[in-house]
Amino acid sequence: MVVTSVDASGPAVAVEARTRSRDPAACTGCGAVSGWVHSRYVRQLADATVGGRPVRIDLSVRRLYCENSACPKVTFAEQIPGLTVRYQRRTPLLQRLVEEIGVVLAGRGGARMLSILNIALSRSTVLAQLMRAPLPPLVTPQVLGVDDFALYGDTYGTLLFDATTRLPLTLWEGRDAEQLSRWLREHPGVEVACRDGSLSYGQGIAEGAPDAVQVSDRFHLWQGLSRRVQDIAAAHRSCLPSALPAADPAGPEPAGVVDADVEVVDGPAIRHARRLFEAVHELVGTGRSHSSVARELGLDRRTVGKYARARTWQEVVRRAPRRPSTLDPYLDYLQQRWDEGEHSAVILHQELVGKGYLGHYQRVKMALAPLRQGLPLDEPRERPPSPRETARWIIAAPARHGPQTTDRLRRLLERCPELRLAHDLVREFAAMLDARDATLLPDWLGRLTNSGLAPLASIATALRADHHAVAQGIATCYNSGVNEGRITDVKLQKRIMGGRAGVPLLRHRVVLMAHLRRRF
């Protein structure tokens, strides 16, 4: 083509151009070359900005006759490679820019970014151009990854990706076996399928690709075992305080213990706790369940359990042991000044600031609250480990424990034989994972079943139903680590679109985003 003029005096750069008259053009219908001109007309094309200014191209193109009598087209408009596309009012350069911004930022965010670049397009246009972009050709992978993700509410979707290239393939709504088996039958060639413990996915893979090796992910196996250990620790909560060091006879009393001779200032909370304690123990003593007592008293079942476990009503009144804070080095000084008659929290806070205290006044005020009720200062006490913390001690490798954790875990396992048994079984499974050896898996599952611990027996039943995939997950190098990364990326794309995107748009963005990252 020939540029005839350029006008840069207005807000936009206007370029006028025309195609050469002697060059033949290919018919857009049959591809036959023709030089028989019918007429000319002007096309207006938007191009990428120059120096931050929009560019408009007024291009005069020819309409030619098609000389092929068998072609259904009588006339056609010539196209300029790299500049014009049929029915398109944007140049390919600008079109690619709009599509890539739509992939990265979706509709509304993409329209805002384009407006910064002085390209005025609506969010609907950005999304329309994004959906018009073709997806990369789908190549059936040898190692397939399958995982589910939450679309919205209780609706889930399925994501497939190539575990070798780490690129997503497709996604759809639902996570049933029929959809997965249909896709596998339409795309034969999968040799290994990595998945979590979902039996529906296992069934779909078995039906769609019966020769494929199924691999149950090691992370999910380890996660399921850790949850069962936490259930065991919760069932033996009474053993958890034994992890703490032996109390010093001259030191403070353990948390939750109140001397019966100590006079506690009466108040509404004290009277309420005493009434609830007496009512709960009276009803529980008749053999009624905690749920029945909770319904009658209008309480939560866990609250009833807390009052039923307490030996005295004072145990439910005492606050939880306070955690260490920056005020602890100044507690003796606070007690001394209180005994001297200074009861103003403002003045005491100012004195502590002069001694180097950097905390807030509110912390000093809260520390003085027990003194105003005639109680001693609340000193920090060590708390027993929670079931979750106990499970983390048992699950973590011994080499990662600090000296304090090692000592606490040793005391706890000496006190609770059930947790000792769970600890030994967990370490046996960890040894199998480290050695990539699944030969001991049947014996280990039998020990879980005969352990007498219901959580471990239940996971043994689940693992035995998926024995082959579990053994492959232990022994092979394949895993679902890529699955989790891709699911995180899907959640990110959902949040960028405010959770309102449909499945086709989400599929387009997830697939194209991965290829865009790989390209740049």
Side-chain angles (χ1 to χ4, degrees), residues 435-446:
R436 295 281 180 88
D437 185 8
T439 56
L440 300 177
L441 181 60
D443 295 338
W444 183 76
L445 292 177

Side-chain angles (χ1 to χ4, degrees), residues 193 195-199 213-222 429 432-433 436-439 441-442 444-445 448 459-476 478:
R195 59 173 177 84
D196 56 13
S198 172
L199 295 181
V213 177
Q214 299 189 35
V215 178
S216 185
D217 185 49
R218 291 189 291 274
F219 166 75
H220 290 92
L221 297 176
W222 192 252
F429 187 68
M432 284 190 285
L433 291 179
R436 295 281 180 88
D437 185 8
T439 56
L441 181 60
W444 183 76
L445 292 177
L448 288 185
I459 195 175
T461 304
L463 296 181
R464 194 174 282 110
D466 199 20
H467 179 274
H468 181 71
V470 173
Q472 292 294 328
I474 295 174
T476 64
Y478 302 110

